[in-house]
Amino acid sequence: MNKIYRLRSNMEFKKVYSGGKSYWNRNLVLYVKKNNIGNTRVGYSITKKIGNSVVRNKIRRRMKEIYRLNFENIKNNYDLIFIPKKNTVDISYKELESAMLHILKLGNLLMDKRDSDG
């Protein structure tokens, strides 16, 4: 994913945490903050409580792929941070995908059919 679509600095993450809104479900927490950049940026924060680096990177890679496949269905002008919970280690790719889509729906970040048509 291109650098313009990613949250990169610690300051960018802190802005979303402090000024953003949070949504959660059984597997994930999502922080959302409106931006005026013209595109949606995403970041992933995975704590060491979840497991060793191999486990954390596996979860992060799965989340990045799910986001990439659904990128065109997500509304513009938002900063997003996905934080997986401990039980994410034990779930399948499909379950993680449905959890991510569910949390995006909770935050009203998925485009309707009429939004994309035009």
Side-chain angles (χ1 to χ4, degrees):
M1 183 151 297
N2 198 325
K3 287 183 181 179
I4 62 169
Y5 299 118
R6 290 185 290 181
L7 290 173
R8 298 177 57 205
S9 72
N10 189 25
M11 189 180 75
E12 291 172 340
F13 275 81
K14 284 183 177 178
K15 281 183 183 176
V16 178
Y17 288 136
S18 64
K21 214 171 166 201
S22 65
Y23 302 94
W24 62 90
N25 60 23
R26 188 179 333 141
N27 300 311
L28 296 167
V29 177
L30 173 66
Y31 283 89
V32 179
K33 186 175 188 328
K34 192 98 165 125
N35 69 30
N36 296 319
I37 296 171
N39 55 26
T40 293
R41 301 182 302 173
V42 66
Y44 306 92
S45 179
I46 305 175
T47 65
K48 288 186 177 181
K49 293 177 185 175
I50 287 187
N52 63 20
S53 61
V54 176
V55 172
R56 292 193 306 269
N57 285 327
K58 179 181 176 184
I59 293 169
R60 185 182 47 79
R61 283 192 309 270
R62 284 180 170 185
M63 288 172 46
K64 285 174 86 169
E65 180 65 8
I66 293 165
Y67 183 82
R68 185 186 69 81
L69 294 173
N70 294 288
F71 177 69
E72 59 277 347
N73 298 327
I74 297 172
K75 293 180 181 177
N76 276 337
N77 298 327
Y78 289 97
D79 288 339
L80 312 174
I81 298 175
F82 288 97
I83 304 171
K85 293 184 180 178
K86 277 186 182 180
N87 59 329
T88 322
V89 175
D90 303 323
I91 65 173
S92 68
Y93 177 87
K94 284 289 182 195
E95 289 173 309
L96 182 59
E97 182 178 34
S98 70
M100 283 183 74
L101 292 175
H102 174 256
I103 207 164
L104 287 167
K105 283 179 193 166
L106 284 178
N108 196 24
L109 295 168
L110 291 178
M111 284 193 243
D112 294 338
K113 291 285 183 197
R114 59 185 175 267
D115 290 344
S116 58
D117 291 343

